[in-house]
């Protein structure tokens, strides 16, 4: 048993401005580090499928999805929000990013591997039910979760989000859906300035201050997330894996290291083996310092192995 890594060449075709941090080189940095580390010998790599409009409708409003399709430019670029742009290759990139999550869910439910990771862009966890936000067009992790619930008839899906920014879009989509447990850590106060005041029995938010170390972060995860997972008994664990909390990433101010990402992956594998036949799907979110991003993704995948 190995880990299946899903991606698609089209994810590189979301071409952004020269100064935009969410750039195609992020994926190149990850792929280079996978090769440099020798990890490619221990994983399987596959192209993901393209998400359909109908699959997106499970996580987003019909009007929003159709508006994105209608506005997708054939030349130049448009802005969906002040941080999120679309160029001619962006729609297909977003569809393959979401589709890789769907392919990964299908893989761990029926394939030879019970763990998968999606190396995709644009990211997704800021995309809300009816709007784009924060580099995100479609909410990839929400599309994967709703696919698991609808296509595989699951009743309990857990989403773990450790990006340095709050996954406000994921919270928005599942706020009233108790079939989904969301555990999210994020720097606060910080963009998008949400999540700290959320009150919900199935949303476990962990706002933490700038300068948070791996030791403090692990203590919070152990104190609040693991009891919630044990009580919830998920049938599938999904991970919004944002690596912009790394100490070398100046997009945030956390002080996490590769060993922290290895640790949480290994812990999640243990809980998955206990409750859901080992099924874990990770989905790339943030991470903008190329060196630390590549090393952190490798560490996380090794933890899953």
């Amino acid at each position: 048993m190995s880990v299946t890594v899903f991606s698609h060449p089209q994810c590189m075709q979301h071409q952004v401005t020269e100064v935009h941090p969410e750039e195609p080189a992020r994926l190149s940095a990850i792929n280079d580090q996978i090769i440099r580390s020798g990890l490619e010998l221990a994983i399987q790599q596959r192209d993901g499928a393209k998400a359909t409009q109908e699959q997106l409708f499970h996580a987003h409003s019909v009007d929003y999805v159709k508006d994105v399709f209608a506005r997708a430019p054939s030349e130049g670029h448009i802005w969906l929000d002040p941080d999120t742009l679309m160029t001619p290759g962006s729609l297909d990139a977003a569809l393959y990013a979401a589709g890789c999550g769907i392919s990964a869910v299908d893989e761990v439910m029926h394939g030879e591997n019970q763990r998968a990771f999606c190396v995709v862009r644009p990211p997704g966890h800021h995309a809300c039910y009816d709007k784009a936000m924060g580099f995100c067009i479609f909410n990839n992790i929400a599309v994967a979760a709703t696919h698991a619930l609808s296509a595989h008839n699951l009743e309990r899906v857990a989403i773990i989000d450790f990006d340095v920014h709050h996954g406000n879009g994921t919270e928005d989509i599942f706020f009233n859906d108790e079939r989904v447990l969301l555990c999210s850590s994020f720097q606060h106060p910080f963009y998008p300035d949400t999540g700290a005041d959320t009150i919900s029995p199935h949303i476990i938010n962990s706002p933490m201050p700038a300068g948070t170390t791996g030791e403090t972060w692990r203590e919070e995860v152990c104190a609040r997330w693991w009891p919630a997972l044990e009580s919830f008994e998920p049938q599938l664990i999904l991970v919004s894996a944002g690596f912009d909390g790394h100490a070398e990433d100046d997009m945030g101010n956390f002080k996490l290291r590769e060993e922290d990402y290895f640790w949480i992956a290994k812990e999640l594998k243990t809980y998955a083996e206990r409750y859901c036949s080992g099924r874990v799907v990770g989905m790339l979110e943030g991470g903008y310092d190329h060196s630390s991003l590549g090393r952190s993704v490798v560490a996380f995948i090794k933890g899953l192995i």
Side-chain angles (χ1 to χ4, degrees):
M1 185 181 299
S2 179
V3 171
T4 305
V5 174
F6 287 91
S7 190
H8 195 278
Q10 189 63 38
C11 290
M12 299 285 285
Q13 301 308 310
H14 174 48
Q15 300 289 342
V16 290
T17 66
E18 292 182 359
V19 296
H20 201 290
E22 205 294 285
E23 58 182 346
R26 297 176 65 228
L27 301 193
S28 299
I30 293 170
N31 292 330
D32 288 348
Q33 189 61 39
I34 286 175
I35 294 171
R36 185 176 298 114
S37 67
L39 187 62
E40 65 173 337
L41 301 176
I43 62 175
Q44 297 183 22
Q45 295 178 287
R46 296 179 184 171
D47 284 349
K50 189 176 183 178
T52 66
Q53 286 196 40
E54 289 70 23
Q55 290 168 327
L56 298 177
F57 293 158
H58 290 296
H60 293 286
S61 74
V62 172
D63 288 345
Y64 172 65
V65 172
K66 290 187 174 181
D67 182 62
V68 171
F69 273 75
R71 296 179 63 192
S74 57
E75 59 182 12
H77 68 271
I78 64 166
W79 291 91
L80 297 177
D81 94 320
D83 299 310
T84 312
L85 78 158
M86 291 185 73
T87 58
S90 298
L91 178 58
D92 275 352
L95 293 175
Y96 276 107
C100 281
I102 292 170
S103 296
V105 168
D106 290 341
E107 167 75 7
V108 302
M109 294 302 299
H110 297 309
E112 61 183 279
N113 292 328
Q114 276 66 60
R115 288 176 286 281
F117 190 85
C118 300
V119 179
V120 295
R121 57 180 293 276
H125 75 153
H126 292 309
C128 299
Y129 177 69
D130 58 1
K131 66 179 181 180
M133 189 172 174
F135 309 165
C136 305
I137 299 173
F138 301 125
N139 193 308
N140 305 321
I141 207 78
V143 171
T146 53
H147 177 72
L149 294 166
S150 60
H152 294 282
N153 299 312
L154 299 189
E155 298 176 346
R156 297 180 309 281
V157 174
I159 298 177
I160 304 297
D161 187 334
F162 52 75
D163 192 279
V164 79
H165 305 93
H166 177 233
N168 61 298
T170 311
E171 180 176 302
D172 175 61
I173 291 167
F174 294 116
F175 188 80
N176 295 311
D177 192 342
E178 294 186 356
R179 297 175 300 172
V180 176
L181 170 70
L182 173 61
C183 298
S184 176
S185 62
F186 49 94
Q187 183 177 326
H188 177 77
F190 203 42
Y191 180 89
D193 298 316
T194 55
D197 300 322
T198 299
I199 299 176
S200 170
H202 66 100
I203 297 176
I204 313 299
N205 281 340
S206 298
M208 308 184 78
T212 292
T213 64
E215 180 181 6
T216 301
W217 177 74
R218 292 192 199 195
E219 290 174 354
E220 171 72 8
V221 169
C222 291
R224 301 191 63 215
W225 294 11
W226 298 159
L229 269 184
E230 291 169 358
S231 177
F232 189 68
E233 297 185 359
Q235 296 166 299
L236 172 67
I237 296 175
L238 304 178
V239 187
S240 273
F243 300 98
D244 40 8
H246 194 283
E248 296 173 19
D249 197 313
D250 60 10
M251 188 65 79
N253 304 106
F254 275 11
K255 303 299 181 184
L256 306 186
R257 297 283 183 181
E258 294 96 304
E259 53 264 31
D260 297 307
Y261 300 121
F262 175 85
W263 171 81
I264 196 167
K266 189 174 181 180
E267 291 294 306
L268 288 172
K269 181 171 76 87
T270 299
Y271 281 98
E273 289 170 344
R274 185 181 306 170
Y275 295 114
C276 50
S277 302
R279 296 189 288 260
V280 181
V281 172
M283 178 79 68
L284 179 66
E285 299 286 0
Y288 305 97
D289 175 82
H290 295 175
S291 177
S292 64
L293 171 62
R295 301 193 319 265
S296 297
V297 170
V298 166
F300 185 83
I301 294 174
K302 285 182 176 179
L304 292 182
I305 295 174

